Structure formats: C-alpha cells, structure tokens
Amino acid sequence: MTIRPARANVDPVSGRPPVPDEDRVVRGEDWYGVELSAETFTRTSFLDVDLTEAVVDGTTFDTCTFANVKFNASRHTAAAFTNCTFRNCTFFDTRFTDCKFVGSLFQRCTYALFEVSGGDWSFVGMPGAELKGASFDRVRMRECDLTGAHLEQATLTGVDLSGAQLHSAKLSGADLRGSDLSSLDPLTVEMRGATISLEQAAVIATALGLTVA
C-alpha cells in the first residue's frame, strides 16, 4: 500500500493538464482485500486503484477523488466520504453501512447489487445514475440530486428525500414505503408499479392538486 506525494485532483476523464500541488495521490495500486480502520485521507486522489473486497471501518476520506476505482464486494462501515468525487468507478456487490457521503458527486459509475443502510447522503449528486435494483434503507438523502436516475425495482425504504431533485427519475416497481416524497412531482417521474403507503398516496394526490377527503 503505497501513497506518494504527487499531483492530486487530476481529472483523468477530461484530459486537462494536472495542476501541481502538495496533495497526495494513489495510482494503479492493488489494494485487494485491504483493511482500513480509523484512517484519514484528505484531498487524496485514488486513480486506477483496486479496492475489491476491501473492509473499511471508521475511515475518513475528505475532498478526495476516486477515478476508475473498483469497489467490488467491498464493505464500508461508519466511514466518511465527504465532498468526494467518484468518476468511472464500479460498485458491484458493494455495501455501505452508516456511512457519510455529504456533498459527494458520482459521475459515470456502474452499480449492481448496490446496498446502502443508514448514514447521511445529503447533497449527494447522482444524476442519471443506473441504480436499478439498488437498496437504500433508512438513509438521509436530503437535497440529493437524482435527476434522471434509473431506480426501477429499487428499494428506498425509510429514506429522507426531502428537497431531493427527482425530475425524470424512473421509479417503476420501486419500494418507496416510509420515505419522504414531499419533493416528488408525480407528473415528471415514472412510478408505474411502485409500492407506497396510504400516507404517501395522500401526499402524491395533493401534489396532483387532488383533495383527499
């Protein structure tokens, strides 16, 4: 596990020239099955790193960049990824439990068997994310950007979606029970076959301008 001073916050997608600074970078490392416990990484760039089956417990990543990183089958508990950027990362069978992602952005990532339980994902940007079948349970996702996200057959139970951007999101067949749907505009979201509670149905009806008697 090698961390060496280099040029951080490089954008490997746009091809813009790197900006020299004093931050840190981890490039091309094989961290398969690594265990990270109560460590701290600040303004660190992780480029082409393999974190498959990694076990991350109580570790903090602040203002970090992850590009082309494999998170497959990794497990994260009580970790913090604040104000981080994820580009072209793969999340297959990845689980986050009671983690904090406030202010982070996901771009062109892939998700399968993606599971989030508890934690704070407020102000997270996941526009257009392919999250079909993903599971979010008891997660705080206030003002999260899910514009155009694909959440068909997903589970979003007990999720705080107040202020979330859901325009053009696809929620067909999703389980939404117990979630805050106050910011959802049913005229701009696909919801065919979604499961909701009677209380949520009243909220949606009100959003449609109907009177619930």
Side-chain angles (χ1 to χ4, degrees):
M1 189 185 340
T2 304
I3 302 176
R4 52 188 178 280
R7 296 173 176 179
N9 300 318
V10 177
D11 186 343
V13 177
S14 70
R16 292 195 299 266
V19 178
D21 57 34
E22 297 179 356
D23 296 330
R24 296 154 68 82
V25 63
V26 180
R27 184 190 300 274
E29 296 289 341
D30 182 0
W31 285 15
Y32 188 101
V34 69
E35 295 185 9
L36 300 176
S37 180
E39 297 193 37
T40 299
F41 299 89
T42 302
R43 300 187 63 83
T44 302
S45 289
F46 296 85
L47 312 178
D48 302 302
V49 176
D50 187 357
L51 282 169
T52 299
E53 295 193 16
V55 178
V56 181
D57 186 7
T59 291
T60 297
F61 300 87
D62 182 47
T63 320
C64 292
T65 296
F66 298 84
N68 302 312
V69 174
K70 295 179 181 178
F71 287 90
N72 302 334
S74 58
R75 300 292 182 262
H76 308 259
T77 304
F81 297 82
T82 52
N83 299 309
C84 292
T85 300
F86 299 83
R87 298 191 182 99
N88 296 327
C89 296
T90 57
F91 297 91
F92 175 78
D93 190 24
T94 308
R95 298 180 185 177
F96 294 98
T97 303
D98 296 326
C99 293
K100 184 177 182 179
F101 275 79
V102 175
S104 289
L105 173 66
F106 293 78
Q107 299 175 317
R108 298 180 294 280
C109 296
T110 58
Y111 315 83
L113 301 178
F114 187 72
E115 184 177 321
V116 181
S117 178
D120 192 346
W121 289 54
S122 298
F123 306 102
V124 165
M126 303 182 83
E130 295 283 348
L131 290 162
K132 184 176 181 179
S135 176
F136 293 86
D137 181 52
R138 297 171 291 104
V139 185
R140 186 177 186 182
M141 301 182 76
R142 290 189 175 185
E143 299 191 44
C144 182
D145 185 359
L146 292 169
T147 304
H150 291 257
L151 288 154
E152 297 96 335
Q153 308 301 323
T155 297
L156 293 98
T157 49
V159 177
D160 183 356
L161 289 167
S162 55
Q165 300 177 48
L166 294 164
H167 186 83
S168 299
K170 302 181 186 301
L171 294 163
S172 300
D175 186 350
L176 305 172
R177 289 174 294 181
S179 294
D180 186 331
L181 303 180
S182 59
S183 63
L184 184 149
D185 182 350
L187 296 177
T188 67
V189 175
E190 294 183 17
M191 296 184 64
R192 184 182 297 275
T195 301
I196 59 176
S197 66
L198 291 175
E199 182 180 355
Q200 291 170 312
V203 172
I204 293 173
T206 300
L208 289 169
L210 303 176
T211 299
V212 180

